[in-house]
Amino acid sequence: MDSNNKNNSSTSSIPHPTTTTSTAADPVQSWWESVSKARSRILSLSSILPSLPSSSSSSSSSSSSSFSLSSLADSDRPALSFLSSPDAYSLLSSSLSSPGSGSGSDPLCQWLYETYLSSDPNLRLVVLSFLPLLSGTYLSRIHSSESSSAPSLSGFEAVLLAIYSSEVKSRAGKPVTVQIPHLSHPSLYHTPRNKLHKSQPQAPSVGVLSGPLEAQIAVKSTKRPVIVGVALDCYFKHISQMPAWSKVELCRFAGAWAGQDCACQDKFNEYDDADYFLEERNMMMSSSESEDNLGITESKGVRIPLPWEILQPLLRIIGHCLLGPFNTQDAKDAASAAVRRLYARASHDLVPQAILATRSLIHLDKRTREAAKAAAANTSSNVNTPAKAKKHEILLVSK
């Protein structure tokens, strides 16, 4: 009996092997759940796309698009494959910008809304990549002259509210602040004088970029700039993961929002000749071939009011598109044209902070293009200049 009790006690003290196995399999299981969720979302999108309004799409084009989405769903990383696919972006953008889109019964808006509510961060990136087109189409329709006869845009507003609500939850009622540098505080480059005289340093100066957010259940006209601005700020936080065609889309909408028929945008043309190159690039981008390659629709919105709640995150995004080291030339050129139009708009509206920001971005863009042009000229001169043949060295050896 004693030996049996000893055996029983020894076996009871040994942990069950299935516990360690399940713990070790948790990361693989969570990865597989994420892949399965992304695949199901993409496949559900391919099932609702044929019922969406599209521009002159035949049965063969719909079958090819369905096959394209199915192939993306079968990849190892479905959400990231969808995010980096220009064909998928072009397919959804044509439906998202169609005349009957944006209503409360729009299945594509419902898909974007439900996808953003998922816990998968890669699926959220997919939804954010369509934010420029969604917000641009929404604001342009709201402020267009035919807005009184336009259908309901509650589908667009539901997606914007989903992004806004997630940002309200993440900020937890706190404002977004930045500490302004002051000479009374030490840094890597100087020692403050008040420290030498043993005086009390001044309190750090704090600037408020965005105040505390309030929960919203609907997009009211008075809260619309704040909601759209917060959504654009969320887009800016993940802008390094956004595809190039999404950035180009937002820059083109920004230029249309500012207005295009003002001569102030050419104020800086007399200082450099890089604008001729810029104009050629913009003409190439506006052609139908470039739009098909980038998945960009023809209409780019109308002139709208630009309060600081929208303009501040918009200028951050344009600044990244101008100065980001890994941005494509199309994104840089679209941002350069947009910031010049925003400068003209700010000059007419007499917005000091917008004038300072846009002028700074224009000067930085000029210097960057001049530096790139000088580097290219030096490279070409070095290539064309023949190198002199080196003389053979003669070594004198003393005996």
Side-chain angles (χ1 to χ4, degrees):
M1 291 293 294
D2 294 337
S3 61
N4 292 336
N5 291 334
K6 290 181 180 180
N7 293 335
N8 292 336
S9 61
S10 61
T11 54
S12 61
S13 61
I14 299 175
H16 201 272
T18 56
T19 304
T20 57
T21 305
S22 60
T23 305
D26 280 344
V28 178
Q29 184 178 0
S30 61
W31 171 82
W32 178 248
E33 290 177 356
S34 176
V35 171
S36 301
K37 184 184 297 183
R39 286 178 177 176
S40 63
R41 295 305 301 166
I42 295 177
L43 291 177
S44 65
L45 176 63
S46 63
S47 64
I48 66 175
L49 273 178
S51 61
L52 290 173
S54 58
S55 55
S56 63
S57 61
S58 60
S59 59
S60 60
S61 62
S62 63
S63 62
S64 62
S65 63
S66 177
F67 173 79
S68 175
L69 291 176
S70 300
S71 62
L72 294 176
D74 293 337
S75 62
D76 295 336
R77 299 181 298 174
L80 296 180
S81 299
F82 189 95
L83 181 66
S84 59
S85 173
D87 296 331
Y89 186 88
S90 177
L91 179 65
L92 266 71
S93 62
S94 61
S95 299
L96 199 61
S97 59
S98 60
S101 62
S103 62
S105 59
D106 190 351
L108 183 54
C109 291
Q110 183 178 0
W111 184 87
L112 292 173
Y113 175 81
E114 295 176 353
T115 302
Y116 193 81
L117 293 181
S118 63
S119 58
D120 190 354
N122 293 329
L123 286 176
R124 287 193 165 193
L125 292 178
V126 171
V127 179
L128 287 177
S129 66
F130 291 96
L131 181 63
L133 179 60
L134 189 145
S135 59
T137 305
Y138 171 72
L139 292 177
S140 300
R141 291 183 184 179
I142 285 292
H143 296 287
S144 62
S145 57
E146 298 87 3
S147 59
S148 58
S149 60
S152 172
L153 300 177
S154 57
F156 289 158
E157 294 176 348
V159 181
L160 292 173
L161 279 175
I163 301 175
Y164 176 83
S165 300
S166 67
E167 193 67 14
V168 171
K169 184 178 179 180
S170 63
R171 293 188 186 183
K174 299 179 181 179
V176 179
T177 59
V178 59
Q179 185 171 348
I180 302 174
H182 198 275
L183 293 177
S184 63
H185 297 275
S187 68
L188 295 174
Y189 307 101
H190 83 293
T191 301
R193 294 181 179 180
N194 55 16
K195 186 175 181 180
L196 299 177
H197 297 287
K198 297 182 180 180
S199 60
Q200 187 68 22
Q202 297 182 2
S205 180
V206 178
V208 179
L209 295 179
S210 178
L213 300 178
E214 300 177 356
Q216 303 293 334
I217 59 175
V219 181
K220 301 179 181 179
S221 58
T222 55
K223 299 296 183 181
R224 184 181 296 119
V226 177
I227 294 174
V228 176
V230 170
L232 292 176
D233 186 69
C234 188
Y235 179 89
F236 173 74
K237 291 180 180 179
H238 304 279
I239 195 171
S240 61
Q241 299 171 282
M242 293 294 105
W245 43 85
S246 178
K247 301 176 185 178
V248 172
E249 189 92 63
L250 184 58
C251 293
R252 289 169 64 89
F253 266 114
W257 292 343
Q260 305 179 9
D261 51 355
C262 179
C264 297
Q265 62 181 343
D266 301 326
K267 181 178 180 180
F268 296 88
N269 287 359
E270 57 186 8
Y271 298 104
D272 61 343
D273 57 351
D275 295 277
Y276 177 75
F277 171 75
L278 173 62
E279 184 178 357
E280 285 187 338
R281 295 288 302 180
N282 288 334
M283 291 177 61
M284 293 173 59
M285 288 173 57
S286 62
S287 63
S288 59
E289 182 178 358
S290 297
E291 289 175 354
D292 293 339
N293 294 335
L294 294 173
I296 299 175
T297 53
E298 289 186 4
S299 62
K300 287 295 111 184
V302 297
R303 191 179 189 272
I304 66 171
L306 288 175
W308 186 243
E309 291 84 359
I310 295 179
L311 195 56
Q312 184 183 27
L314 190 62
L315 290 176
R316 293 181 190 172
I317 297 171
I318 292 177
H320 170 85
C321 295
L322 277 177
L323 307 174
F326 301 108
N327 288 325
T328 62
Q329 193 62 41
D330 291 330
K332 293 180 180 179
D333 294 339
S336 181
V339 73
R340 291 169 183 269
R341 292 170 182 170
L342 289 172
Y343 167 75
R345 174 67 179 274
S347 300
H348 285 281
D349 294 347
L350 298 178
V351 184
Q353 61 267 38
I355 295 175
L356 291 174
T358 51
R359 281 178 64 93
S360 299
L361 289 176
I362 291 174
H363 285 299
L364 289 173
D365 178 46
K366 282 172 45 186
R367 294 177 183 178
T368 304
R369 291 179 181 273
E370 289 173 358
K373 188 177 180 181
N378 292 334
T379 303
S380 61
S381 62
N382 293 335
V383 172
N384 297 329
T385 302
K388 295 182 179 180
K390 293 183 178 181
K391 296 181 180 180
H392 296 286
E393 296 181 356
I394 301 175
L395 301 178
L396 300 179
V397 181
S398 60
K399 295 182 179 179

